[in-house]
Amino acid sequence: MPDLKQGRAANDTQRFREAVCIDTARIYDSCSDKDCFEDLQVFFTEQGQSIINRSALVKCKSAEVLDAGISVEPVPFNRGYFTVDITFYFRLHFSCYCPPATTPVNVRGLCHHAKKVILYGGEGSVKTFYSGDNCVNFGQSHTSENPTACLKTASPITLSSRIVESLPAYSEPLGPLPSCVLSSFDGEIITHPGDNGKTVLSTLGLFTIVTLQRGVQVMVPVYDYVIPEKDCVGSWTADDPCEMFKRIRFPSEEFFPGDLDGGCDLCIDTLKRPEQ
């Protein structure tokens, strides 16, 4: 019986048209990391801090990365290497228990953490300009000698949260916050809870991938133009909504947790054992 995969590969090779030059980003170096940010100080709005001061217990329900400030600087006396400084801004969602009430109160807080990595980014001194630029930026380049850093991160994992009566000795002020972080809260974030305020410390786990890349021109083989092979699906305001509903795949994974270890053969074998 012929190998269908080898047949398709042979057909693809026969469809080779030409080699073309494209402008793309080449990754020179990358690293992945699994960080545990322990006892991060959480900052709240004035209303949120008042709830924290009355709380006896807090539970962190979830966390998310609101923003990440990234800067790239060359390493002295190590040509081609660069430091990537990253500042993470996390928004945490808490359930606060204020006695004598038994119903928790939801509060959102902010914490931050800095991280530094060293990667190889190559060398370059080319400045790039594009046609159609706004005259406001006339004379300024779109790229510099430094490579571009790219950060990818998964959703943070909340490991623990606790309330302490006083600020820890290592606490640092927040400093200027990005506009997107400020707009994510209903009020102004206060940098410290005050002398009589309580402090929330949270520990987060985070998976990250950092890359350094530069724009390069490379030759790639071209087989054919990419032409869509499926028809566009109409909107939900179609004449026959029931017909549209029939096209939706049944979400079996929403009703069942997944395959059991060992598959159906194991299930059948287990059922037969009592009879034996």
Side-chain angles (χ1 to χ4, degrees):
M1 183 175 180
D3 191 338
L4 296 180
K5 292 184 178 179
Q6 293 182 356
R8 284 195 296 268
N11 293 334
D12 291 341
T13 305
Q14 294 174 359
R15 293 168 55 192
F16 175 80
R17 297 288 187 266
E18 59 178 331
V20 298
C21 179
I22 64 171
D23 193 355
T24 185
R26 173 191 171 183
I27 297 177
Y28 279 77
D29 200 1
S30 64
C31 64
S32 62
D33 219 342
K34 181 174 65 174
D35 295 301
C36 181
F37 301 145
E38 188 175 2
D39 286 346
L40 300 181
Q41 181 181 352
V42 185
F43 300 86
F44 301 90
T45 62
E46 185 175 352
Q47 180 181 4
Q49 184 62 50
S50 64
I51 297 175
I52 294 298
N53 291 340
R54 302 194 309 268
S55 299
L57 176 68
V58 295
K59 293 183 179 180
C60 188
K61 300 187 298 182
S62 63
E64 57 184 318
V65 179
L66 280 180
D67 194 19
I70 305 175
S71 63
V72 180
E73 296 294 337
V75 176
F77 310 110
N78 287 273
R79 298 182 61 179
Y81 284 87
F82 297 82
T83 60
V84 182
D85 292 288
I86 306 171
T87 302
F88 296 97
Y89 295 94
F90 303 99
R91 181 170 64 180
L92 284 65
H93 301 259
F94 294 94
S95 291
C96 302
Y97 296 84
C98 307
T102 58
T103 302
V105 181
N106 295 326
V107 176
R108 294 186 300 180
L110 173 69
C111 62
H112 71 297
H113 194 275
K115 174 184 175 68
K116 176 182 291 188
V117 299
I118 298 178
L119 295 173
Y120 178 77
E123 299 181 55
S125 59
V126 176
K127 295 184 178 180
T128 306
F129 299 85
Y130 296 95
S131 62
D133 287 342
N134 192 323
C135 61
V136 175
N137 297 323
F138 181 78
Q140 298 182 3
S141 64
H142 287 266
T143 58
S144 65
E145 297 180 1
N146 294 344
T148 301
C150 175
L151 167 69
K152 296 182 180 180
T153 175
S155 297
I157 301 174
T158 58
L159 301 177
S160 68
S161 294
R162 58 192 177 95
I163 293 180
V164 295
E165 296 294 335
S166 60
L167 288 173
Y170 55 83
S171 63
E172 297 180 358
L174 270 176
L177 296 175
S179 57
C180 61
V181 173
L182 292 173
S183 61
S184 300
F185 294 87
D186 298 332
E188 182 178 356
I189 298 291
I190 56 178
T191 58
H192 57 83
D195 296 334
N196 299 322
K198 295 181 179 180
T199 302
V200 175
L201 302 179
S202 292
T203 300
L204 303 177
L206 188 67
F207 297 93
T208 57
I209 295 178
V210 183
T211 62
L212 278 185
Q213 54 193 30
R214 290 184 183 273
V216 295
Q217 292 181 342
V218 295
M219 297 292 293
V220 296
V222 175
Y223 297 97
D224 208 342
Y225 291 105
V226 179
I227 302 175
E229 298 180 353
K230 67 177 182 179
D231 297 331
C232 294
V233 179
S235 64
W236 295 104
T237 57
D239 295 336
D240 191 351
C242 291
E243 185 64 28
M244 179 66 66
F245 181 74
K246 293 179 181 179
R247 300 179 185 178
I248 300 177
R249 183 184 61 86
F250 189 88
S252 302
E253 65 279 1
E254 298 293 335
F255 294 86
F256 304 97
D259 296 336
L260 296 174
D261 294 338
C264 293
D265 293 340
L266 178 60
C267 301
I268 296 175
D269 183 62
T270 304
L271 293 175
K272 291 180 178 180
R273 286 177 184 174
E275 298 180 359
Q276 296 174 356

